[in-house]
Amino acid sequence: APAISSYSYPNPFDDFIKIGYELNSTADVSVTINTVTGTEVRNLGNQILAPGKYTVTWDGKNENGTKVSPGIYYYTVRAGKSISSNKMVLIQK
């Protein structure tokens, strides 16, 4: 089985989106939000986690606390050498 599986909801979103993931082994985990061109918008944490289910929330803001423009973004969950990434759509409120 893959070391990591992930999902996000609600998608599309206007206010916040939850990114959930499950680990099957202890790993150094990071969660980042990127634009379609790969520019990092936000880092939602970097920590060593035990196997289990986790959820982080993105409020649609960048590192400076400014709401980003509506459009397509990607989250990437890295756990050790495993990567799980998926598309999210931020819509105008």
Side-chain angles (χ1 to χ4, degrees), residues 6-21 54-58 75 86-89:
S6 68
Y7 59 90
S8 61
Y9 66 94
N11 195 5
F13 73 106
D14 61 10
D15 213 21
F16 64 87
I17 188 165
K18 288 187 180 294
I19 299 160
Y21 56 96
Y54 299 90
T55 309
V56 292
T57 301
W58 181 42
Y75 72 79
N86 224 322
K87 183 167 75 172
M88 304 175 292
V89 181

Side-chain angles (χ1 to χ4, degrees), residues 10-78:
N11 195 5
F13 73 106
D14 61 10
D15 213 21
F16 64 87
I17 188 165
K18 288 187 180 294
I19 299 160
Y21 56 96
E22 186 170 358
L23 306 174
N24 68 8
S25 58
T26 299
D28 190 352
V29 178
S30 72
V31 181
T32 54
I33 308 294
N34 296 81
T35 64
V36 288
T37 57
T39 305
E40 188 173 302
V41 173
R42 184 89 176 265
N43 186 323
L44 296 175
N46 202 328
Q47 56 192 323
I48 294 173
L49 297 173
K53 294 181 179 181
Y54 299 90
T55 309
V56 292
T57 301
W58 181 42
D59 55 8
K61 294 177 181 174
N62 63 21
E63 296 288 0
N64 301 323
T66 306
K67 191 86 169 177
V68 297
S69 304
I72 296 169
Y73 294 87
Y74 286 85
Y75 72 79
T76 302
V77 182
R78 288 181 180 82

